[in-house]
Amino acid sequence: EVYGFRVVEPHHDGCPHWHLLLFMDASVTGFVRSVLKSYALEVDGSEAGAEKHRFKAERILTGTNPKTGGEYSAAGYIAKYISKAIDGYGVDFDLFGNDAQAASARIEAWASTWGIRQFQQIGGASVTVWRELRRLRDEEIKGCEVLERARACADAGDWAGYLQMNWNGQIDLLKKDVSSERNQYGEP
């Protein structure tokens, strides 16, 4: 059971670059690292520099950053990359010395052009189910207490309550069989 966040930003050449913040039992850390590294090197892994530059894993301990002397934490790490992806707020300059707010506009354009989801959670409850529950009304789920409680949490913007009810995907999307239904043009 691994959970956390993934943030994607472009390399200088436009190639997607992932930042992962993952939480897991310490006993599986080595295995998870080896799986991620094997995927990172799966395509063209023998090219010059691939072994050194394609995958880096680092354990983040809360405390003082030895490089900067500032606060160092998992939350700070992921907040930085989400901020860079959204609006650059709180980040002065990117790696190339460019204004982070101007760079973030280019990052958003890059993500939009290529249809790249810039950040998402890994593990835990489904955001898609959360969004779908917000669309439902009381009469659509009468008689299903679990769904009604989950819908009420989503409707109230109570993410913590939704997580408590839906940890590890206990509530999933139900797909309606519409194979026999036709639209206004007679199409399935």
Side-chain angles (χ1 to χ4, degrees):
E1 294 181 8
V2 174
Y3 63 98
F5 282 92
R6 174 193 58 79
V7 179
V8 181
E9 63 180 353
H11 275 293
H12 205 60
D13 65 357
C15 181
H17 174 85
W18 284 25
H19 293 271
L20 296 168
L21 174 64
L22 300 175
F23 298 93
M24 67 198 80
D25 188 272
S27 66
V28 298
T29 302
F31 174 72
V32 170
R33 284 183 180 184
S34 69
V35 168
L36 292 174
K37 185 174 184 174
S38 71
Y39 276 111
L41 297 173
E42 189 173 49
V43 176
D44 298 327
S46 60
E47 71 181 358
E51 183 75 28
K52 181 180 179 185
H53 298 290
R54 285 221 195 141
F55 179 79
K56 178 184 174 191
E58 183 179 328
R59 186 173 181 199
I60 297 176
L61 300 173
T62 300
T64 303
N65 184 339
K67 295 177 187 171
T68 65
E71 188 66 28
Y72 193 63
S73 69
Y77 173 84
I78 205 68
K80 171 185 171 184
Y81 289 105
I82 290 174
S83 179
K84 281 175 65 176
I86 296 174
D87 62 5
Y89 179 79
V91 181
D92 295 331
F93 301 99
D94 68 10
L95 289 174
F96 302 100
N98 301 316
D99 177 68
Q101 291 181 343
S104 72
R106 291 191 299 277
I107 291 170
E108 283 191 58
W110 165 83
S112 177
T113 299
W114 296 106
I116 294 174
R117 184 182 288 186
Q118 290 178 275
F119 50 92
Q120 81 184 94
Q121 76 170 1
I122 295 169
S126 168
V127 175
T128 301
V129 172
W130 162 269
R131 289 181 181 136
E132 291 300 318
L133 286 169
R134 292 175 61 101
R135 293 180 184 192
L136 293 176
R137 297 289 55 111
D138 295 338
E139 61 276 0
E140 293 179 280
I141 55 173
K142 277 195 172 149
C144 185
E145 182 184 335
V146 173
L147 278 181
E148 174 47 34
R149 286 191 355 244
R151 187 202 62 77
C153 288
D155 233 17
D158 180 8
W159 179 254
Y162 170 72
L163 279 181
Q164 288 173 349
M165 291 193 59
N166 194 25
W167 193 251
N168 290 328
Q170 295 170 3
I171 300 171
D172 207 347
L173 293 177
L174 300 174
K175 294 186 171 91
K176 181 179 175 184
D177 181 10
V178 294
S179 58
S180 63
E181 294 181 20
R182 302 282 179 201
N183 67 14
Q184 63 187 9
Y185 306 106
E187 302 167 328

